[in-house]
Amino acid sequence: MPANQTKHQDPLTLYFIYDSHCPWSYAATPVVAELINAFDFSDLHLLHCAHFNGSDAPKQAQIEQVSALSNIEFGDSYLAQSKKKASSVKVANFMSWVQSKQADKEFELLQAIQKQHFVDANPFETRDNFDKLINQYKLSPSNKVFKDALSHEAESVLAGIAEIGEAIGTNAFPVLVMTSGDQAIFIDHSEHLAAPEGVVAAVREELAALA
């Protein structure tokens, strides 16, 4: 365990429900990074909800609001085509494959995908769009990852998301939930978008209250 991480007496698990093409999820990812760096999680579940299916796109007002509340970067090339309908289906398939085959790279890959999408305007709609990541990380995803429909593995992730949504009473995303033993902490990521490091102290207070 890295020296800067906090180990808790009960096993800690982190759940992050997101969509790779969602600006709010992009803004929440630095908050997730702070939690991963600060706590020794026994399990990390990154769950792609595949909201964007090619029928719509993030609203311009949403992008502007995210920009105002956080320090994340939107590239000019992304902003120029932001009204184009988006599909995150192949990323959902890709991330579920990574989760089952090389889970240790999953969060790093999510960060790389978000940077390529929101800064470089990579739509991740064809296999070619994934080539840079595949080559960089020496991956060998199966062809079913790049089909237009959700893979069986991605569908299983959605089933897990539905169970979590029922438990916490919301289907909204992004969602951050930490469990300590059989107790759960709902983390309001929106309070930490401008200063993600603040989430660590807030969660430590929550954990202390559970003890």
Side-chain angles (χ1 to χ4, degrees), residues 92-162:
N93 291 345
F94 181 75
M95 292 304 288
S96 64
W97 178 87
V98 170
Q99 189 177 73
S100 64
K101 302 296 184 181
Q102 299 194 45
D104 59 313
K105 298 178 179 178
E106 189 177 8
F107 186 65
E108 185 178 352
L109 279 163
L110 172 59
Q111 291 174 303
I113 286 169
Q114 288 176 323
K115 181 179 184 300
Q116 286 191 27
H117 180 65
F118 290 105
V119 178
D120 303 326
N122 185 340
F124 288 106
E125 292 179 348
T126 67
R127 184 187 178 103
D128 290 347
N129 296 152
F130 290 82
D131 280 348
K132 182 177 179 180
L133 288 175
I134 290 171
N135 294 332
Q136 179 181 349
Y137 289 90
K138 297 178 173 58
L139 305 174
S140 54
S142 60
N143 289 330
K144 66 181 179 180
V145 165
F146 305 105
K147 293 183 178 180
D148 291 330
L150 287 170
S151 65
H152 175 72
E153 291 82 1
E155 291 279 9
S156 296
V157 170
L158 293 186
I161 290 173

Side-chain angles (χ1 to χ4, degrees), residues 15 17 45 47 159-171 175 177:
Y15 298 85
I17 300 173
H45 299 280
L47 307 173
I161 290 173
E163 291 182 7
I164 294 171
E166 185 175 347
I168 64 178
T170 179
N171 292 318
V175 166
V177 176

